[in-house]
Amino acid sequence: PTKMFPRSSYKNVLTLLAVQLVGALPRIETCQIGRRVITHSLASAAFLPLIADAQVGVPEGMKTSESYTNLQQISPETTGTLGAGTISSRSRPVTGVVLLEDIVEGGKKEQPLVSAELVLDGGVAATAVFQSEPGYPLIRGMFYDVEVRSKAADGAFLQVAALPGGRTMSEVSDSFFTKAVFSTEGRFGAYGTPTDIKVVSSEKGVKRLIDVTFSALSPGQTEVPRRALIAVLQPEGAEDVVMLVGGSTISQWKKSEAALRKMAASYHIARVRPTSIKRKSKNDFRFEAQGGLNEKLGDAVF
């Protein structure tokens, strides 16, 4: 293809603009931008023609960044293993987690001791702690709250749910927990509400442990059989439960079960303290950086 302007023309125009703008800076009293910022921006802009040249000269059949429009096209080997609950193009999953401060990681990067202070209903701040297993690093980013995940896309995450009408953890049925975890807005509902939810086993005590099988929709709307282990605690004085939810596909379960059960066994509430802070999205320390978290009318977060 024929270029409209030679590369030298671009350089001449950019050089002229740089001289004029930098020379005019002392006269721009209302501008808060320094010389260094503008000259750096102009220097960066000088590379644009080079990028354009590179695109023009792409051999036939070779794909560039402009050839892709979504994650599925860029990395099919990754998105092909993303089960339901993996981030899609929709809004971020709702886990009910409101963090008072950044998550603390201890120990090895690939096997961290995870500690997170959460705001709970009832005027309580609770520090939830669990020991991750090898190969399950903490995942950070705008679409995650407190979550560890392996390369096989199985992992565990924290979720908070408000108990109904002043009832305690021991007074509600297993269906209360499964309804909270497998909602359309939740971690496993990225492409639709999970179905075929069956409780395999349930253990009651200071910590409730619920073993569940279910099916979740993939990006292609195919039902993917999965299994989850839900460890439930109710911090003292809180009107909520805090759950550590571990899960994987059925095909991956034999390989990941031992690690997920160890994480569930290590899960505990290390500290509880009173707070006047409400469990509202705007009170999460990440609120401004993330442009706001999901919030619905009714319950504090859900």
Side-chain angles (χ1 to χ4, degrees):
T2 303
K3 303 175 187 176
M4 293 183 64
F5 300 101
R7 186 181 302 177
S8 58
S9 297
Y10 285 109
K11 292 182 177 179
N12 292 338
V13 171
L14 288 171
T15 301
L16 179 60
L17 286 174
V19 172
Q20 291 178 342
L21 282 174
V22 174
L25 280 175
R27 300 193 297 272
I28 307 176
E29 297 180 353
T30 59
C31 181
Q32 299 298 318
I33 304 175
R35 287 171 174 262
R36 181 176 300 178
V37 175
I38 291 182
T39 49
H40 174 74
S41 300
L42 286 170
S44 300
F47 287 99
L48 291 176
L50 302 181
I51 296 173
D53 287 347
Q55 291 294 328
V56 169
V58 171
E60 184 177 356
M62 180 179 290
K63 292 184 177 181
T64 69
S65 59
E66 294 182 353
S67 306
Y68 302 96
T69 58
N70 57 53
L71 182 60
Q72 174 67 29
Q73 294 173 328
I74 295 173
S75 183
E77 71 280 2
T78 299
T79 54
T81 61
L82 298 183
T86 303
I87 302 305
S88 70
S89 58
R90 70 173 194 124
S91 57
R92 70 191 306 279
V94 178
T95 64
V97 168
V98 174
L99 292 170
L100 276 177
E101 57 186 16
D102 200 5
I103 305 165
V104 177
E105 295 181 72
K108 299 178 181 179
K109 188 71 175 178
E110 292 296 309
Q111 186 186 0
L113 177 66
V114 180
S115 177
E117 188 171 35
L118 317 173
V119 180
L120 304 178
D121 295 311
V124 170
T127 301
V129 178
F130 66 93
Q131 175 64 59
S132 183
E133 288 297 300
Y136 290 82
L138 183 68
I139 304 299
R140 294 180 180 272
M142 181 173 180
F143 294 101
Y144 301 96
D145 291 314
V146 184
E147 181 166 345
V148 295
R149 182 170 288 267
S150 74
K151 292 181 180 180
D154 57 316
F157 62 92
L158 289 181
Q159 179 166 339
V160 176
L163 288 162
R167 300 171 72 180
T168 65
M169 178 182 72
S170 61
E171 295 173 337
V172 295
S173 65
D174 291 337
S175 62
F176 166 80
F177 304 106
T178 57
K179 183 178 179 180
V181 171
F182 302 119
S183 67
T184 304
E185 297 82 8
R187 202 70 183 83
F188 296 106
Y191 305 101
T193 306
T195 59
D196 301 326
I197 301 167
K198 297 178 182 178
V199 175
V200 177
S201 65
S202 179
E203 301 176 14
K204 291 187 178 181
V206 176
K207 180 192 296 180
R208 286 185 71 158
L209 199 62
I210 307 170
D211 194 340
V212 187
T213 60
F214 64 102
S215 293
L217 291 175
S218 70
Q221 295 300 293
T222 301
E223 288 191 345
V224 180
R226 298 182 66 89
R227 191 160 174 173
L229 189 64
I230 308 171
V232 189
L233 291 172
Q234 182 179 6
E236 185 178 358
E239 298 172 0
D240 309 322
V241 290
V242 184
M243 300 173 282
L244 178 66
V245 183
S248 75
T249 60
I250 290 294
S251 60
Q252 179 67 22
W253 181 253
K254 286 185 178 180
K255 296 179 181 179
S256 59
E257 180 181 7
L260 296 177
R261 289 192 181 278
K262 286 181 180 179
M263 284 189 265
S266 72
Y267 171 52
H268 65 282
I269 302 298
R271 184 179 70 151
V272 174
R273 65 179 178 85
T275 182
S276 59
I277 299 174
K278 303 297 182 182
R279 189 168 70 96
K280 290 284 187 179
S281 300
K282 64 182 180 181
N283 292 327
D284 192 296
F285 88 97
R286 305 164 296 172
F287 185 78
E288 292 185 2
Q290 295 190 350
L293 304 177
N294 283 353
E295 185 172 19
K296 294 184 176 182
L297 297 177
D299 183 39
V301 171
F302 294 99

